[in-house]
């Protein structure tokens, strides 16, 4: 019998196929004591397993490239955490086996993360994956993961670790569905980069029986269980229509009546440039430079290395716009040489610009490297600070840019509600705003972006979030300055129209989403987008806002 389930659609497209479940591990080793003379040997085994897992994660990252590489490198650093390894050694010294010591040490650290505020609690899945990989190696058993299949399938899991998501083969994995996760989780972002249809936060996903045929609509979040031939035909026709629209939409982003909306790409480094260019990106709206710093958590990259990396990206967009975000360290991106390890709630502590202002030499080196990288190039370089709270923050960043001799526009990310509410004040110090809707939603609703249980509050269609976008965009218009969106909200084609109607001046997203947004924008006039935006803001919930905007744009 055909039934319909609904989760959160996080990656466009339709997939129809049989369910295959991600293998799950029961990897709790027995608690047994070892003689004292075996402790040194067990400690050696533990260290070897940790290094092997870290090397495997790094190798997977190198194969995947782009944003996936940075996520996996962060996991490798998690595996090698010195405090964790010291705890493992202590447990072995008092009689635990290597595998049991690893299991218990990670469990203790897991409890700390889970109790350290929702932002860090969202990293528990990544930590569990690292633990399972180390314990599996010590036990000599294979690490359960993506199923072995010669036929294409839809992958279903409670959650997907980045190491699994990054290397999915799109020719075999038609789409995936998870019970946990949120629209801005690592797996969701990587799914969009792969172009694989995906739905997350689907209650009861793991209860779908192996071999059941399901249809996944990554745009609407709907899952059709045992779809009939009519439903299959309908979905396939819809997918074909979207594909045709994508093929016909080329050139710069614009509404049907010619209102220009530059469509830019979010990138993590040079490895992401080719996909952005292939998708017709008009520039870069978010260059996440923290990925460069994750190579070594104890030392900042040299100025020379930074210049080389930045220049590779800048050279790829001659006479285009490249917006670089300076290092956003802290919270889920800790760096040993920068961020404190004992904050009770790092997401609300010293993060982003706050970190850089406490370590001005790191900010100065990065700004100097950007200035040198842009020398002699016709590119339009813009540099922005993360986690700006008010005018004082904005002035401190602008002053640092000028002191470094940076010839570029200076901007501020709007991720904290105070920056949106006081946008005109912030704009007295900087030349543009860029809305990071992922964190803006997180801080507006006190809802961690990695936690599936609060995914309805992470939904960028929430009217309160749209209100903040409208306030920031109106402030920029009044000051004669630009206000873009670089958060994942921009990758939703329907929402892109609403954002345009709210007054946003550019949209930046993962490369895979650019064709969808370009094609959708080209179907509607600016006036239609403005009416859709007004209807969405008048709603009382995300679902109502989405439906209201859709009704306006479809002429209902």
């Amino acid at each position: 019998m055909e039934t319909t389930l609904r989760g959160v659609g996080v990656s466009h497209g339709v997939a129809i196929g049989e369910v295959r479940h991600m293998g799950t591990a029961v990897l709790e080793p027995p608690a047994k004591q070892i003689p004292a003379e075996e402790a040194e040997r067990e400690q050696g085994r533990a260290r070897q397993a940790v290094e092997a897992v870290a090397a495997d994660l790094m190798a997977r990252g190198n194969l995947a490239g782009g944003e996936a590489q940075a996520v996996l490198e962060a996991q490798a650093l998690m595996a090698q955490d010195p405090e964790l390894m010291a705890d493992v050694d202590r447990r072995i010294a008092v009689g635990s086996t290597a595998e049991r010591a690893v299991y218990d040490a990670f469990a203790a650290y897991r409890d700390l993360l889970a109790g350290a505020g929702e932002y860090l609690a969202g990293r528990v899945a990544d930590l569990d994956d690292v633990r399972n990989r180390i314990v599996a190696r010590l036990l000599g058993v294979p690490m359960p993961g993506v199923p072995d299949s010669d036929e294409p399938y839809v992958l279903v899991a409670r959650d997907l670790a980045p190491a699994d998501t990054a290397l999915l083969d799109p020719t075999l994995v038609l789409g995936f569905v998870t019970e946990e996760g949120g629209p801005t989780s690592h797996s969701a972002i990587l799914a969009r980069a792969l172009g694989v249809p995906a739905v997350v936060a689907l209650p009861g996903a793991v209860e779908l029986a192996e071999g059941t045929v399901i249809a996944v609509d990554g745009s609407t979040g709907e899952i059709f269980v045992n779809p009939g031939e009519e439903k299959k035909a309908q979905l396939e026709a819809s997918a074909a229509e979207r594909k045709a629209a994508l093929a016909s939409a080329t050139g710069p982003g614009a509404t049907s009546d010619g209102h220009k909306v530059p469509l830019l790409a979010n990138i993590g480094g040079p490895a992401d440039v080719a996909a952005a260019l292939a998708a017709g990106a008009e520039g870069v709206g978010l260059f996440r430079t923290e990925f460069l710093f994750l190579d070594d958590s104890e030392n900042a990259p040299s100025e020379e290395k930074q210049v080389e990396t930045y220049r590779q990206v800048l050279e790829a967009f001659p006479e285009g716009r490249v917006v670089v975000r300076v290092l956003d360290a802290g919270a889920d991106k800790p760096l040993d040489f920068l961020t404190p390890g004992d904050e009770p709630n790092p997401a609300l502590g010293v993060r982003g610009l706050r970190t850089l202002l406490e370590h001005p030499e790191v900010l100065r080196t990065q700004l100097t490297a950007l200035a040198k990288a842009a020398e002699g190039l016709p590119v339009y370089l813009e540099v922005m600070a993360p986690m700006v709270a008010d005018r004082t923050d904005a002035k401190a960043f602008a002053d640092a840019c000028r002191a470094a001799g940076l010839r570029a526009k200076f901007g501020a990310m709007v991720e904290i509600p105070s920056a949106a509410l006081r946008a005109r004040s912030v704009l007295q110090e900087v030349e543009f705003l860029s809305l990071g809707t992922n964190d803006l939603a997180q801080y507006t609703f006190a809802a961690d972006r990695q936690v599936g249980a609060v995914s309805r509050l992470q939904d960028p269609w929430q009217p309160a979030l749209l209100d903040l976008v409208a306030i920031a965009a109106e402030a920029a218009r009044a000051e004669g300055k630009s206000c873009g969106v670089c958060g994942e909200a921009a990758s939703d084609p329907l929402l892109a129209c609403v954002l345009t109607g709210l007054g946003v001046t550019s949209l930046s997203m993962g490369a895979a989403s650019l064709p969808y947004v370009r094609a959708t924008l080209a179907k509607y006039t600016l006036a239609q987008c403005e009416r859709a935006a007004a209807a969405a803001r008048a709603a009382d919930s995300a679902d109502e806002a989405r439906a209201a905007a859709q009704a306006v744009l479809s002429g209902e």
Side-chain angles (χ1 to χ4, degrees):
M1 183 179 71
E2 180 180 319
T3 57
T4 303
L5 307 174
R6 182 180 288 276
V8 179
V10 295
S11 185
H12 303 297
V14 172
I16 302 174
E18 292 187 0
V19 167
R20 294 285 182 274
H21 285 275
M22 173 72 75
T24 55
V26 180
L27 292 175
E28 181 175 356
K32 62 181 183 180
Q33 292 291 108
I34 60 168
E37 60 268 20
E38 292 184 17
E40 187 174 345
R41 179 179 67 85
E42 289 295 287
Q43 288 169 341
R45 285 182 64 227
R47 282 191 290 273
Q48 288 175 359
V50 166
E51 291 305 319
V53 166
D56 178 61
L57 290 168
M58 294 291 282
R60 286 168 177 260
N62 289 332
L63 284 172
E67 294 186 26
Q69 183 172 3
V71 171
L72 292 174
E73 286 175 354
Q75 267 199 300
L77 292 173
M78 186 182 285
Q80 297 169 303
D81 184 276
E83 290 187 16
L84 262 175
M85 283 311 302
D87 191 17
V88 170
D89 283 343
R90 283 194 296 271
R91 292 172 187 274
I92 292 174
V94 295
S96 284
T97 62
E99 47 266 40
R100 187 70 206 191
V102 168
Y103 185 88
D104 289 340
F106 271 75
Y109 191 39
R110 187 186 199 280
D111 290 342
L112 284 175
L113 280 185
E118 290 187 350
Y119 200 93
L120 283 180
R123 295 296 175 267
V124 165
D126 291 4
L127 185 70
D128 287 348
D129 181 60
V130 172
R131 176 204 64 203
N132 284 346
R133 290 175 188 278
I134 298 171
V135 172
R137 184 169 287 272
L138 286 166
L139 291 174
V141 300
M143 177 66 193
V146 177
D148 185 15
S149 175
D150 295 329
E151 297 296 323
Y153 59 90
V154 176
L155 181 62
V156 175
R158 185 169 300 281
D159 203 353
L160 285 172
D164 296 315
T165 316
L167 296 183
L168 290 178
D169 182 351
T171 63
L172 282 177
V173 181
L174 301 172
F176 68 74
V177 179
T178 66
E179 189 161 313
E180 299 294 330
T184 57
S185 64
H186 283 153
S187 290
I189 291 171
L190 295 178
R192 285 188 283 271
L194 286 167
V196 176
V199 172
V200 301
L202 178 73
V206 296
E207 296 171 14
L208 291 167
E210 186 87 2
T212 303
V213 175
I214 64 172
V216 179
D217 190 328
S219 299
T220 66
E222 291 175 305
I223 304 292
F224 302 96
V225 183
N226 296 314
E229 293 305 315
E230 184 178 347
K231 175 59 71 176
K232 288 182 183 178
Q234 178 186 338
L235 290 169
E236 288 167 351
S238 175
E241 183 181 334
R242 289 176 192 166
K243 187 174 181 180
L246 296 182
S248 65
T250 58
T255 58
S256 63
D257 56 341
H259 175 72
K260 293 182 179 180
V261 187
L263 300 181
L264 313 171
N266 293 345
I267 68 169
D272 293 333
V273 166
L277 291 171
E282 298 170 57
V284 173
L286 173 61
F287 179 0
R288 301 180 178 97
T289 60
E290 62 269 17
F291 294 156
L292 181 61
F293 288 73
L294 291 173
D295 287 343
D296 182 351
S297 72
E298 297 183 0
N299 301 283
S302 67
E303 181 181 304
E304 293 73 20
K305 181 177 181 180
Q306 291 190 56
V307 170
E308 178 186 357
T309 302
Y310 302 150
R311 195 168 180 89
Q312 287 180 57
V313 174
L314 296 177
E315 286 177 336
F317 294 92
E319 300 186 10
R321 178 187 180 198
V322 175
V323 183
V324 179
R325 181 177 70 190
V326 294
L327 175 63
D328 182 12
D332 65 325
K333 291 168 282 193
L335 293 172
D336 292 344
F337 69 95
L338 277 185
T339 51
D342 56 353
E343 286 188 301
N345 192 338
L348 300 179
V350 182
R351 179 190 168 191
L353 180 61
R354 299 168 188 175
T355 301
L356 293 174
L357 294 178
E358 286 199 356
H359 299 270
E361 72 286 353
V362 175
L363 177 59
R364 183 167 53 249
T365 299
Q366 185 170 25
L367 294 175
T368 302
L370 284 165
K372 291 182 177 180
E375 284 179 2
L377 297 179
V379 67
Y380 296 97
L381 175 62
E382 301 183 10
V383 182
M384 61 185 180
M387 302 297 291
V388 170
D390 56 15
R391 182 173 179 172
T392 300
D393 280 351
K395 183 179 187 305
F397 178 65
D399 287 347
C401 289
R402 282 188 283 267
L406 189 62
R407 295 182 178 178
K409 285 187 175 182
F410 317 142
M413 287 200 71
V414 178
E415 301 161 285
I416 301 173
S418 62
L421 294 169
R422 300 288 294 170
R424 289 198 72 168
S425 174
V426 170
L427 283 166
Q428 303 311 303
E429 305 294 343
V430 295
E431 298 171 82
F432 70 92
L433 301 177
S434 184
L435 289 144
T437 52
N438 306 351
D439 273 321
L440 185 58
Q442 172 172 253
Y443 290 121
T444 298
F445 297 104
D448 190 284
R449 53 192 282 194
Q450 300 293 330
V451 178
V454 292
S455 61
R456 81 170 182 87
L457 295 172
Q458 301 155 0
D459 192 327
W461 281 94
Q462 284 284 357
L465 187 67
L466 300 181
D467 287 343
L468 291 173
V469 173
I471 290 169
E474 172 56 27
R477 187 199 63 76
E479 294 295 328
K481 296 179 179 180
S482 63
C483 177
V485 169
C486 64
E488 291 299 315
S491 65
D492 179 334
L494 182 62
L495 186 51
C497 295
V498 167
L499 294 172
T500 298
L502 292 174
V504 165
T505 55
S506 66
L507 298 165
S508 189
M509 65 209 75
S513 298
L514 283 164
Y516 291 91
V517 172
R518 183 183 295 111
T520 305
L521 266 179
K523 292 165 59 177
Y524 304 109
T525 66
L526 176 59
Q528 286 176 299
C529 292
E530 290 172 340
R531 288 197 296 273
R537 288 184 68 190
D540 290 322
S541 71
D543 287 343
E544 289 177 11
R546 187 183 290 106
Q550 182 66 70
V552 169
L553 293 178
S554 62
E556 295 177 8

